[in-house]
Amino acid sequence: MTRTRTTTGKAPRALKAPRRPEVDLPELRAQESGPVPDGDYDGVGFEGADLGRTDASGARFLECRIRDCSLDEARWERARLLDSVLEGVTGAGTDLAGVELRDLELRDARLGGVQVHGARLSRVLVHGGKIDFLNLRQSRLLDVTFENCVLVEPDFGGAVLERVAFPGCVLRGVDFSSAELTDVDLRDAAELDIAAGVGQLGGATISSAQLMDLAPAFAAELGVRVGG
């Protein structure tokens, strides 16, 4: 009697791509002064201003554009930036701890040592530019796209990443320690160097070439000795 062989394995679940922000700014009013703590900014534009060392902690920005501004050592903890665009901003030591970014575009930024730990990011696009030492520890990222940018030693330690992609990005010294990844797409990264947390990639998708490059790190994570 011929027996029919059956399989119980399920087909791999399709990778879900991040949703992108849909920002449609109205005609903006020029903002002449810098932001203040707990300020409320609706439909205004900051253009070419030095916002370094400003304190906008707890402030709310709705449908705003911040373009070609300096954010050196600015303190914007717990600020909310919604339906807004940041373009060409620069700065070192910017403090965005606990910030909420929703439906936001960050374009061609050049930032260093920016603190975004404990933050909430939803429908965010980071396009172009370079960010050194980006601290996203303990943050929640949902529907976030990093596109054609350079991230040097980004720290996702303990963060939750869901539907996050990195097309065209250079990722150097990434730290995924204790991170939770779901539908994270690393396949199209131009460069992928993981310094820590390679064992947390269970919810990520990588290319076959990346798998070969990461093989030594995977072996080290599993305690496998390779010889001969």
Side-chain angles (χ1 to χ4, degrees):
M1 181 174 65
T2 302
R3 295 183 178 180
T4 301
R5 185 177 180 180
T6 60
T7 60
T8 58
K10 296 181 180 179
R13 184 175 62 83
L15 181 66
K16 295 180 180 179
R19 293 177 293 172
R20 296 204 172 202
E22 297 181 2
V23 182
D24 185 15
L25 295 178
E27 184 174 348
L28 302 177
R29 307 183 312 278
Q31 176 70 24
E32 302 297 337
S33 59
V36 297
D38 300 315
D40 198 352
Y41 304 94
D42 191 341
V44 301
F46 297 82
E47 299 279 343
D50 182 0
L51 303 180
R53 296 180 175 82
T54 55
D55 185 352
S57 54
R60 172 181 170 272
F61 300 83
L62 175 64
E63 294 186 330
C64 294
R65 176 185 284 120
I66 302 172
R67 181 162 56 190
D68 298 332
C69 294
S70 170
L71 297 173
D72 283 310
E73 298 183 17
R75 293 182 53 201
W76 290 21
E77 306 102 316
R78 304 179 311 284
R80 302 176 66 205
L81 288 88
L82 317 172
D83 298 285
S84 296
V85 177
L86 280 70
E87 185 176 357
V89 297
T90 61
T94 308
D95 191 348
L96 298 171
V99 75
E100 179 182 359
L101 308 178
R102 189 177 73 224
D103 288 305
L104 180 102
E105 295 183 8
L106 175 62
R107 295 184 170 274
D108 302 318
R110 297 193 68 85
L111 300 168
V114 59
Q115 302 296 315
V116 201
H117 53 277
R120 292 173 293 163
L121 287 71
S122 179
R123 295 186 301 276
V124 172
L125 170 65
V126 180
H127 176 85
K130 182 182 180 184
I131 306 178
D132 295 328
F133 312 113
L134 173 62
N135 182 358
L136 280 162
R137 294 185 69 84
Q138 305 296 326
S139 293
R140 298 185 66 88
L141 290 75
L142 175 64
D143 291 315
V144 177
T145 302
F146 295 91
E147 181 178 72
N148 299 328
C149 58
V150 178
L151 302 179
V152 178
E153 297 189 25
D155 189 348
F156 296 98
V160 177
L161 291 76
E162 183 174 356
R163 296 196 298 271
V164 178
F166 298 86
C169 289
V170 173
L171 304 173
R172 296 176 182 154
V174 186
D175 188 345
F176 283 125
S177 299
S178 302
E180 298 179 23
L181 278 58
T182 304
D183 290 313
V184 173
D185 192 349
L186 294 162
R187 293 173 297 177
D188 295 323
E191 181 181 327
L192 178 60
D193 170 45
I194 299 178
V198 69
Q200 303 302 120
L201 294 182
T205 301
I206 61 175
S207 68
S208 55
Q210 289 169 336
L211 176 60
M212 296 299 293
D213 291 339
L214 292 172
F218 280 121
E221 182 78 14
L222 295 171
V224 176
R225 293 180 294 178
V226 181

